[in-house]
Amino acid sequence: MVKVLVKGAGDIATGVAMTFYRSGFQVLMTEIAEPTVIRRRVSFATAVYEKSIEVEGIEGVLVKASDFQSVLNSGKIGVMVYDKGDVPSCYEPDIVVDAILAKRNIRTSLKDASVVIGCGPGFTAGIDCHLVVETKRGHYLGRWLEEGAAAPNSGIPGIVEGKGLERVLYSPIAGKVKHHKAIGDLLEEGELVLEVAGAPVYSPFKGYLRGLIQEGLVVEAKMKIGDVDPRLEERYPFTVSEKAFAVGRGALEGAL
């Protein structure tokens, strides 16, 4: 079986992992010890906090170097805490996909595997990796490039139902996160969603709470901590986005 390593286990990386998994590949993912993932119900990174999580019928399980292979052999996706950013020495993947989306290259090299793919800005095909997959919403989303780099980071979220920057919740100050709502809740405009060190964060409009950072984490000021979806579809907070699957399918096609 062809072995794949996906760096990162956030929502986009999860779409990548699921695409390879559903196509018959064995998948191991790496993540940091305290992921700041927002879309926790559709991110295998949540396994770091909860030991396991099921996303659209596929289970991701927190693993160690001593037991990861048995988990992969049982037909699950493994999630390993590996902060160094490179390939774990216990795993020899045929394909490496860097889907951390850090907007820069964190220790990904052409030498990591036979096929190395970088997702989004921060990678140049032929220098950092063999292929780059575009992650910016729009005409080129999901396309893979053999030369050049993805579009630079604009810092502006994609427009959803006319909402862009305003659909993202940011921490007003630095401090510990306390929840007042849960992912999947239908929010009214001005409703209290969470607090950061006692400072309230309210919903900017009516919509479903699609993403919410892990409770108890200490965050920095102006850090992304939540996501409100103006589309009144109750299933969206619990299903992988079209963007994540577009990136995943681009990575899979490029690898093949």
Side-chain angles (χ1 to χ4, degrees), residues 23-232:
S23 301
F25 294 80
Q26 189 177 86
V27 181
L28 176 68
M29 309 180 79
T30 55
E31 188 49 90
I32 61 174
E34 289 191 344
T36 56
V37 60
I38 304 301
R39 295 206 63 206
R40 290 180 294 112
R41 303 328 307 167
V42 291
S43 298
F44 287 126
T46 301
V48 174
Y49 297 112
E50 301 179 5
K51 307 303 181 185
S52 68
I53 181 172
E54 186 174 298
V55 181
E56 296 192 20
I58 300 174
E59 187 176 3
V61 178
L62 182 64
V63 298
K64 299 178 181 178
S66 59
D67 66 359
F68 79 93
Q69 194 58 59
S70 62
V71 170
L72 300 188
N73 291 343
S74 70
K76 300 173 183 178
I77 290 177
V79 181
M80 182 182 293
V81 173
Y82 203 78
D83 288 350
K84 296 180 181 179
D86 51 12
V87 177
S89 58
C90 61
Y91 194 57
E92 296 182 358
D94 302 292
I95 301 167
V96 169
V97 183
D98 189 325
I100 298 173
L101 301 189
K103 313 301 187 295
R104 59 190 177 92
N105 182 357
I106 302 176
R107 297 178 66 85
T108 289
S109 166
L110 286 166
K111 298 179 181 179
D112 286 344
S114 297
V115 178
V116 180
I117 299 172
C119 298
F123 301 99
T124 300
I127 297 177
D128 304 291
C129 52
H130 298 101
L131 303 171
V132 174
V133 178
E134 181 59 71
T135 59
K136 183 177 181 180
R137 289 185 185 273
H139 184 75
Y140 296 107
L141 175 63
R143 293 185 186 235
W144 52 273
L145 312 171
E146 292 183 281
E147 297 180 352
N153 179 36
S154 66
I156 301 174
I159 303 298
V160 176
E161 293 289 312
K163 308 292 187 183
L165 194 62
E166 63 267 45
R167 66 184 176 85
V168 179
L169 305 179
Y170 294 95
S171 53
I173 60 174
K176 184 178 288 188
V177 171
K178 179 182 178 181
H179 293 170
H180 286 272
K181 296 294 181 179
I183 291 175
D185 285 350
L186 180 59
L187 306 172
E188 296 294 334
E189 181 178 347
E191 193 167 1
L192 179 64
V193 180
L194 73 161
E195 296 177 18
V196 179
V201 179
Y202 302 101
S203 178
F205 48 79
K206 183 175 181 177
Y208 279 100
L209 186 57
R210 193 172 77 141
L212 189 62
I213 200 166
Q214 179 74 17
E215 189 170 41
L217 285 182
V218 176
V219 299
E220 299 175 359
K222 300 182 180 180
M223 184 173 169
K224 182 179 177 179
I225 55 174
D227 177 5
V228 181
D229 193 334
R231 300 168 295 183
L232 300 181

